[in-house]
Amino acid sequence: MALSVFLLLSISICYLVFSQDLLLSVNASNAQSHNLTQNSVTPINYDLYRSSRNLMGEIRALVRRHPDKLTMETLKAANKGYGAQITVVTYGKEKEEKDKRSKLRILLSFGQHGRELITTELALRILSILSEEKLLPSTDQASLNSVLDKLVIKVVPMENPNGRKVVEAGDLCERRNGRGVDLNRNWSVDWGKKEKDYDPYEENPGVAPFSEPESQIMRKLAISFEPHLWVNVHSGMEALFMPYDHKNTTLDGLALKRMKSFLEEVNHHHCQERCMIGSGGGSVGYFAHGTATDFMYDVVGVPMAFTFEIYGDGTASSKDCFKMFNPTDPAAYNRVLNDWSATFFTIFKLVPLQIGEKAPILELEKLVSIDEYLDGYLMERRNRYGKKMEVLELGMQEIRTYFRLFLLSSVLLLFMFCSRISKSKCSRPLVSSMPL
C-alpha cells in the first residue's frame, strides 16, 4: 500500500515538473514570436521625419521670416467636447482682397490621414520653395515668379493634427482623427454608405456629414476661398485621381477632357507614366463615400479637383504601416520630396493654361443645391441640440418634400392665374370707341 502511494506521488511530481517545463517553453516561444512581430514593424524614423510639433514650428518660423510672401492663420472648431485647430498658410504677394479675387486660387491639403507623414513633409518643402529658401533644380526663378504672381495658394500642411499625435504615440496604422472618424469619409456627397467590405477602423464616417471639427473647418475654408484647383494629397500608392470616388463614373464633356489631359501631362513628365490615372472609384477597386474631392467638385464647384497619392510600398506588411505609407531610407525620402515638389510647381504653371489667366468669379448661390443647404442647416441643428440621426434624416426628407411641393404648387397656381387672365381677356365683349 505504501509502495503504491509512493509511486503515485512520484508520477504526480514528474507530471507537474514536465507541465511546468512545457509551459515555460511555450511562453518563451510566444515571447520570441511576439518580439519578432514587434521587430518586423518599422518605427518612425525621426532622423528623416519631423514630429508634428517640430514640423509646425518650422512652418511658423518660415512664415515669420517671409512676411512679404507668406501669411498664416489658425482656424478652430469644436463639437461635443472634441476640438481641433488647423493651420493655413497663404502664398500671395498682394494684400488687398480685390487683387486676390482676380487671381487663380489653389487649395492644397496634406496630412488628412495621420499615418501619412510623408505628405506633411512635402507641404513643408513646397512652402520652403515658395519662400525661395529652397530652389527647384534646373528652374529659372524669374520665370517661376512670373507664374506665381498670377496665383494665390493656400496650403493646409496638416489637416489632422490630432490623428497625427495618435500615430506618434505608437499607433502607426491610425488614419482617423482624434476621436476615431475618417475625415475623408465625413463630407456630405454620398455620405454614410457602407460597402460589403466596410471596415469601421479604416472608414468610420462619423455620426453625420461634417460632424467633425476638422471637416467643418475645411468646408468653410473651401467655400470662402472658392478655389479653381483643389488637391488632396495622400500616400499609399502612386496615383492621380479625379472625381468620382463614390461611384464607377468619370466626368464627361469638357471637364473630363480638361482634367484627363492635365493628369496625363503630369504623369508623363513626373511619374514617367507609372502613376495610375482615372476616377478614384473606378481605379482603386473600391468606392469611397463622403470624400473631400467629390464635395469640392460637386458642391463647391471647383473646376479641377484631384486626389494625389505620392508614395506606396506594396511589399510592406499590412501591419507595417509606417513602411507602407512612408519612404524609410534617405534616398527614397529625398526622391519623393524632390519629384513631387517639382510636380506641384509644374501644376502651378499648367493651371493658368487650363483655366485661363483671368480668374472667373464663382457664384456660390449657383453651386449649392437645396439638398446641400438643408444638409448644412440640419447639421447645425444637430450640433446645437443633439438630435438623433434618425429624426434628422426623417426631418430632412420631409422638408425636401414640402419644399418641392411648394415649388410645384407655386408653378401650378401661376399657370392657373395666367390662364384665367388670358381667358378673361378673350371673353370680354368688344365695345366700339365710337357710337354706332
Side-chain angles (χ1 to χ4, degrees), residues 364-381:
L364 189 61
E365 291 79 11
K366 295 181 181 179
L367 301 175
V368 179
S369 67
I370 182 62
D371 288 353
E372 183 62 37
Y373 173 80
L374 292 173
D375 283 342
Y377 169 75
L378 289 174
M379 187 60 227
E380 291 297 326
R381 288 186 60 82

Side-chain angles (χ1 to χ4, degrees), residues 158-308:
M158 192 179 298
E159 185 181 326
N160 184 12
N162 293 340
R164 172 67 172 265
K165 290 175 183 176
V166 174
V167 173
E168 292 174 347
D171 190 350
L172 301 181
C173 288
E174 183 60 84
R175 64 184 255 148
R176 303 168 300 176
N177 72 349
R179 63 175 173 190
V181 174
D182 184 349
L183 296 179
N184 207 30
R185 301 293 184 273
N186 192 233
W187 299 69
S188 63
V189 174
D190 208 47
W191 173 86
K193 185 176 180 180
K194 298 177 176 64
E195 299 293 328
K196 293 180 180 179
D197 58 349
Y198 168 73
D199 181 353
Y201 184 84
E202 289 285 307
E203 298 184 274
N204 177 16
V207 297
F210 302 110
S211 62
E212 303 312 295
E214 297 92 341
S215 303
Q216 295 170 14
I217 292 170
M218 293 301 297
R219 175 180 61 174
K220 290 178 181 178
L221 175 62
I223 290 175
S224 63
F225 185 51
E226 298 178 349
H228 300 92
L229 172 71
W230 153 265
V231 183
N232 194 8
V233 184
H234 288 268
S235 61
M237 63 177 70
E238 288 186 298
L240 308 167
F241 292 137
M242 66 179 80
Y244 288 99
D245 296 325
H246 69 278
K247 55 186 176 180
N248 188 13
T249 304
T250 55
L251 310 172
D252 53 15
L254 179 60
L256 171 61
K257 184 178 180 181
R258 180 169 56 190
M259 287 197 193
K260 189 175 181 182
S261 65
F262 185 91
L263 295 182
E264 285 175 347
E265 189 159 356
V266 172
N267 190 30
H268 175 70
H269 288 290
H270 292 283
C271 290
Q272 289 74 50
E273 312 293 346
R274 70 177 180 271
C275 287
M276 186 184 300
I277 289 182
S279 68
S283 302
V284 179
Y286 64 88
F287 296 148
H289 307 277
T291 67
T293 295
D294 283 0
F295 179 89
M296 293 294 178
Y297 184 75
D298 261 5
V299 179
V300 183
V302 181
M304 304 183 74
F306 302 116
T307 301
F308 285 2

Side-chain angles (χ1 to χ4, degrees), residues 1 15 38 69 96 190 221 226 274 286 329 373 381-382 424:
M1 180 70 180
Y15 175 77
Q38 291 295 314
K69 295 182 177 69
E96 295 183 14
D190 208 47
L221 175 62
E226 298 178 349
R274 70 177 180 271
Y286 64 88
D329 63 90
Y373 173 80
R381 288 186 60 82
R382 184 184 189 285
S424 175

